[in-house]
Amino acid sequence: MIAPIASLAVLSFLLAWLVTFSMRRVAPRLGFVDRPGHRKIHPNPIALGGGVALFVAVALPLAAVIIGAWAIDSAHPPRMLAGLSRDFSAYVGGVRQQTPLAAGLIAAMLAMHLLGLWDDRRALGPYLKLAIQVAVITALVIRFRSLWSLTAVDEGLHAGHVLSIGISVLWITAITNAFNFLDNMDGLSAGIAAVCTTAFLVTALSIEQWFVAAALALLLGALLGFLCFNFAPASIFMGDSGSLLVGLLLGVLTIRTTYLTPGTSLGAGWYSVFAPLIVLAVPLYDLVVVSAIRILRGHSPFKGDTNHFSHRLVARGMSRRTAVLCLYLITAATSIAAIILPHAPSTFVALLIFAQTLLVLGVVALLEQHPLPAATSLARTEEVASPPLPTAQPEAAPMARST
């Protein structure tokens, strides 16, 4: 099963590369660019539309797999496919079983992608944007609640129906906006998403979660293809149409995964369900800390500033590229621990992994202790609709895009 999943990643990479390359040329002709000025400090207009490449590279192959599974006679597959695996019929049956969820996921992806495109073009208000996000996510969760692996956790925690839905919606919304917040430097959000996706993919493969693994492979390929043009210095941005899409996919797929090795009960491997928290520790930390700082200062949590961890690293003297690479490595450190967690032989080992994650976040907290410029409202963010600010001056640390 590894080979077909790897082929999906390769296909997604090629699609993302080609569409990103095309959008980089087409978007300026359509006026779909991020222009310099106000809080945007890049000197020239930069193409938007990287999110289009991410959507196409994930949704198109996923839809093709679904259509193919229903079009092929699994009992008598074509000669060119018959030799792929002895379990070909079982794979086709598995795809058909997951078709409702896959179709619902594609629909939610499209809705979130269109919301992001709308915001990239017209800059929606933050609360309208958040309300639409919650509506899309809630509809998806309610419609497919019976398919979430979180229901297994519900049994262990004795969580009720409403509580389960609330937890799911809150989690997916948080992850969606965490990656929206992270999109503040060239290659940062897409790169960290690629690191997290790799960790989740390895975990899904190790516990034989084939549908999740296939979707993650598509996402990983798409992110890597896009990063060929988005890593500093970026020639195209993903925009909200990309960051919201990536966050939604990771939020949904992390809930869909059981994190329990085959044959392990929830009681014996209870700590495995915390794997996504460890993988996403850095994005969630940044989301919580930045939001808390803004609220304590009497500002909206959706109002852009330079309080992100990436900004503080640059304020300490790092180049933007070095700061981004530093965040990649920190995320990878927690991700490796999360990959091990479902296979931890005892609670003691699991507690050591939790302690390691807290130590990593402790290092992050120490690195954040740096005075920042007083005009914190000058940062570019790809967050939930940062409204224009009345004053704007060039920042000491230029970033990829300001909206």
Side-chain angles (χ1 to χ4, degrees), residues 78-163:
R79 183 176 300 177
M80 62 179 296
L81 299 177
L84 288 179
S85 171
R86 298 177 181 177
D87 300 322
F88 181 80
S89 179
Y91 295 155
V92 172
V95 173
R96 292 179 178 179
Q97 182 181 4
Q98 297 292 343
T99 295
L101 176 59
L105 182 58
I106 292 174
M109 288 167 53
L110 177 60
M112 200 68 76
H113 177 60
L114 292 176
L115 171 64
L117 284 175
W118 187 12
D119 185 63
D120 289 334
R121 293 289 291 183
R122 298 184 179 277
L124 299 175
Y127 298 105
L128 172 61
K129 184 177 171 184
L130 181 61
I132 297 174
Q133 289 178 30
V134 173
V136 171
I137 293 168
T138 302
L140 181 66
V141 170
I142 292 176
R143 174 64 180 83
F144 298 103
R145 179 183 179 275
S146 62
L147 297 177
W148 298 141
S149 62
L150 185 62
T151 54
V153 181
D154 293 343
E155 295 177 2
L157 299 177
H158 302 289
H161 179 73
V162 175
L163 179 59

Side-chain angles (χ1 to χ4, degrees), residues 292-315:
I293 291 174
R294 293 171 183 173
I295 291 172
L296 289 174
R297 292 179 176 178
H299 299 157
S300 166
F302 306 127
K303 183 177 181 179
D305 57 30
T306 54
N307 284 308
H308 293 279
F309 182 44
S310 54
H311 300 149
R312 294 176 182 271
L313 291 179
V314 172

Side-chain angles (χ1 to χ4, degrees), residues 7-344:
S7 67
L8 289 176
V10 173
L11 173 61
S12 179
F13 174 87
L14 294 174
L15 280 173
W17 194 96
L18 289 171
V19 178
T20 304
F21 179 81
S22 300
M23 287 300 299
R24 190 178 61 164
R25 293 173 175 269
V26 172
R29 299 176 185 176
L30 300 176
F32 192 39
V33 296
D34 191 61
R35 301 184 185 280
H38 196 48
R39 292 182 294 117
K40 307 171 185 181
I41 47 69
H42 44 279
N44 301 307
I46 301 294
L48 289 169
V52 175
L54 293 172
F55 176 78
V56 170
V58 176
L60 189 61
L62 185 57
V65 169
I66 295 171
I67 294 172
W70 286 95
I72 293 173
D73 183 353
S74 59
H76 302 90
R79 183 176 300 177
M80 62 179 296
L81 299 177
L84 288 179
S85 171
R86 298 177 181 177
D87 300 322
F88 181 80
S89 179
Y91 295 155
V92 172
V95 173
R96 292 179 178 179
Q97 182 181 4
Q98 297 292 343
T99 295
L101 176 59
L105 182 58
I106 292 174
M109 288 167 53
L110 177 60
M112 200 68 76
H113 177 60
L114 292 176
L115 171 64
L117 284 175
W118 187 12
D119 185 63
D120 289 334
R121 293 289 291 183
R122 298 184 179 277
L124 299 175
Y127 298 105
L128 172 61
K129 184 177 171 184
L130 181 61
I132 297 174
Q133 289 178 30
V134 173
V136 171
I137 293 168
T138 302
L140 181 66
V141 170
I142 292 176
R143 174 64 180 83
F144 298 103
R145 179 183 179 275
S146 62
L147 297 177
W148 298 141
S149 62
L150 185 62
T151 54
V153 181
D154 293 343
E155 295 177 2
L157 299 177
H158 302 289
H161 179 73
V162 175
L163 179 59
S164 170
I165 292 174
I167 293 173
S168 300
V169 171
L170 179 62
W171 171 260
I172 298 173
T173 303
I175 301 305
T176 298
N177 286 287
F179 282 94
N180 197 215
F181 272 42
L182 273 178
D183 194 20
N184 56 69
M185 286 188 182
D186 292 355
L188 181 58
S189 185
I192 289 183
V195 173
C196 294
T197 301
T198 301
F200 288 128
L201 176 58
V202 172
T203 302
L205 290 172
S206 69
I207 59 179
E208 301 179 2
Q209 296 274 305
W210 304 124
F211 171 77
V212 174
L216 288 168
L218 289 173
L219 178 58
L220 178 60
L223 289 166
L224 294 177
F226 169 70
L227 272 171
C228 292
F229 302 93
N230 184 244
F231 191 72
S235 59
I236 188 171
F237 302 140
M238 70 165 69
D240 279 10
S241 64
S243 60
L244 294 178
L245 174 67
V246 170
L248 172 73
L249 277 170
L250 284 175
V252 169
L253 294 175
T254 51
I255 287 183
R256 185 65 184 86
T257 310
T258 62
Y259 304 102
L260 295 172
T261 55
T264 303
S265 66
L266 181 62
W270 61 269
Y271 41 77
S272 299
V273 299
F274 293 98
L277 276 175
I278 295 177
V279 174
L280 297 166
V282 174
L284 288 173
Y285 173 89
D286 190 63
L287 173 69
V288 171
V289 170
V290 170
S291 298
I293 291 174
R294 293 171 183 173
I295 291 172
L296 289 174
R297 292 179 176 178
H299 299 157
S300 166
F302 306 127
K303 183 177 181 179
D305 57 30
T306 54
N307 284 308
H308 293 279
F309 182 44
S310 54
H311 300 149
R312 294 176 182 271
L313 291 179
V314 172
R316 282 186 169 274
M318 289 187 183
S319 67
R320 294 187 299 280
R321 179 176 292 189
T322 301
V324 168
L325 290 173
C326 181
L327 277 161
Y328 287 1
L329 294 176
I330 293 172
T331 304
T334 61
S335 296
I336 291 174
I339 293 173
I340 300 171
L341 187 61
H343 307 280

